Amino acid sequence: MRNLESFYRLIFALLLVFSLSTACSNDDDVDEVDDVTDDINGSDDGDGNGDGNGEPDPDTAAVFVLIDEESIDNGNEPNDFTETDVNDDISEIGQREVLAYFNENAGEEITLYTGQTGDEAWFVLKEIPSSWDEAGPNESGARNFLEAGPGLGQDESEDLLDEIPEVTPLRATGLSMLTGQTIIAIVYDSDISINYDPLEGDLQGENLGVVAFEVLNVTERTDGSDSDLPSVNIRILDYAAVPALELNLFSNAPTPESSSEPEDTTPPETIPDIELSPAE
C-alpha cells in the first residue's frame, strides 16, 4: 500500500512540474508574438522595440528628404567632393543612381553643411500630391517620385514637379529633430526654389542621384556667417539595404514664416519630438 501511495505522489509531482513548465512556455510565446507585433506597428508597452506611442519604429522607417547643391556638390566644404564623387558627370533629370562616394563608403561618418537662412539645403515634404499617386508605377506617390516615374523624372519628364505644396526648408530646429533618424534623400544638382506665400517648391531640375544615411548629431556652425545653418554629422548607409524601409514624411517640420524669419540658426537645447507619417 505504501508503495502504491508513493507511486501516486510521484505521478502527481510530475504532472505539477509539467503544468508549470507549459504555462511558462505559453507566456514566452505571447511575449514573442507581442514583440513581433510591436515591430510591425511601431508601438509597445515598454518591453518591445516600438516607442510606445504608435510612432513608426526607427528600425523599419526612413524619412524622405530632398537635398540641394548647398549641402552636397563637387567642391563644397567641408568635404571637397570631386565631380565623380557626387555623380556630377552623369547628372540629369530623374537621375537615381546612388552618389558614388556614398556608394563606396558605407559606414563612414562625415559632416555636411546645410546652407543659410533663406538659402537652405535640406527640404522635406509634408504631403504628397494626388497627381504623384496617379502617375504610377506604384500606388505610393512618394515611391513614384523616388523612382522617377512618369512626369517625376522618367525620360527627363518633370510635368508634375512644379508648384508642389508644403515643400518645407529645414533650419536649425527642424534639422535637430532629425537626430537619430534614417534618411533617404534625392540630391539635386542646383538650388531648390521656394515660395512662401503660399509655401510651395519647384522640384524641377537635374538630379545627382540618391543617398541614404543616419543623422548622428546637429551642431551650430561658428566658422562662417551669422546666417549659416548647422553642420550635420552623418553615418553613410548602404543604400541597397534601405529601399524596403517604410518611407515617411516629416509631418511636423517647423514652417518658416518667410525667407528671413525666423533666423533659427542655433540648434535648440531641448529638441522637439519628431512626428512621422507614412508617405502615401
Side-chain angles (χ1 to χ4, degrees), residues 225-255:
S225 70
D226 293 340
S227 63
D228 281 339
L229 295 171
S231 301
V232 179
N233 184 233
I234 68 169
R235 178 182 294 112
I236 298 172
L237 300 178
D238 178 7
Y239 189 86
V242 300
L245 295 180
E246 178 186 350
L247 202 58
N248 282 272
L249 304 181
F250 184 174
S251 56
N252 69 330
T255 302

Side-chain angles (χ1 to χ4, degrees), residues 112-187:
L112 297 175
Y113 292 162
T114 59
Q116 299 81 35
T117 301
D119 191 13
E120 297 81 7
W122 290 31
F123 306 81
V124 294
L125 296 157
K126 289 186 176 181
E127 61 182 65
I128 300 298
S130 59
S131 60
W132 292 13
D133 296 327
E134 298 163 0
N138 307 290
E139 293 182 359
S140 164
R143 285 285 174 188
N144 291 334
F145 182 34
L146 183 60
E147 298 173 14
L152 299 168
Q154 186 178 99
D155 298 325
E156 299 197 354
S157 62
E158 48 185 354
D159 303 339
L160 304 178
L161 292 176
D162 193 14
E163 298 181 349
I164 306 304
E166 299 295 324
V167 177
T168 305
L170 298 183
R171 297 177 185 170
T173 301
L175 292 166
S176 299
M177 292 167 71
L178 290 174
T179 303
Q181 298 295 323
T182 296
I183 306 298
I184 292 178
I186 297 174
V187 184

Side-chain angles (χ1 to χ4, degrees), residues 17-33:
V17 170
F18 176 77
S19 176
L20 290 174
S21 65
T22 301
C24 291
S25 175
N26 287 339
D27 287 344
D28 290 341
D29 289 343
V30 170
D31 289 342
E32 290 177 4
V33 171

Side-chain angles (χ1 to χ4, degrees), residues 32-247:
E32 290 177 4
V33 171
D34 285 344
D35 286 345
V36 171
T37 303
D38 292 337
D39 287 344
I40 294 173
N41 295 332
S43 60
D44 73 0
D45 58 3
D47 295 325
N49 295 323
D51 65 5
N53 297 312
E55 292 294 327
D57 187 336
D59 293 331
T60 62
V63 184
F64 193 22
V65 173
L66 309 175
I67 295 175
D68 76 14
E69 65 177 356
E70 296 300 319
S71 185
I72 299 177
D73 199 7
N74 53 295
N76 270 16
E77 295 181 355
N79 299 288
D80 196 26
F81 292 125
T82 67
E83 289 187 358
T84 55
D85 282 340
V86 296
N87 294 359
D88 192 63
D89 55 326
I90 57 173
S91 172
E92 65 179 3
I93 296 168
Q95 171 63 265
R96 296 295 187 266
E97 295 290 329
V98 181
L99 271 61
Y101 186 90
F102 286 71
N103 193 43
E104 297 163 3
N105 290 281
E108 182 178 342
E109 295 182 17
I110 64 172
T111 296
L112 297 175
Y113 292 162
T114 59
Q116 299 81 35
T117 301
D119 191 13
E120 297 81 7
W122 290 31
F123 306 81
V124 294
L125 296 157
K126 289 186 176 181
E127 61 182 65
I128 300 298
S130 59
S131 60
W132 292 13
D133 296 327
E134 298 163 0
N138 307 290
E139 293 182 359
S140 164
R143 285 285 174 188
N144 291 334
F145 182 34
L146 183 60
E147 298 173 14
L152 299 168
Q154 186 178 99
D155 298 325
E156 299 197 354
S157 62
E158 48 185 354
D159 303 339
L160 304 178
L161 292 176
D162 193 14
E163 298 181 349
I164 306 304
E166 299 295 324
V167 177
T168 305
L170 298 183
R171 297 177 185 170
T173 301
L175 292 166
S176 299
M177 292 167 71
L178 290 174
T179 303
Q181 298 295 323
T182 296
I183 306 298
I184 292 178
I186 297 174
V187 184
Y188 278 74
D189 192 24
S190 58
D191 281 331
I192 291 176
S193 177
I194 297 293
N195 291 320
Y196 286 88
D197 188 18
L199 182 63
E200 60 184 22
D202 180 357
L203 302 182
Q204 300 177 105
E206 293 190 356
N207 307 119
L208 298 175
V210 293
V211 294
F213 54 83
E214 177 188 2
V215 175
L216 301 178
N217 56 68
V218 178
T219 57
E220 181 182 7
R221 281 193 63 186
T222 58
D223 57 347
S225 70
D226 293 340
S227 63
D228 281 339
L229 295 171
S231 301
V232 179
N233 184 233
I234 68 169
R235 178 182 294 112
I236 298 172
L237 300 178
D238 178 7
Y239 189 86
V242 300
L245 295 180
E246 178 186 350
L247 202 58

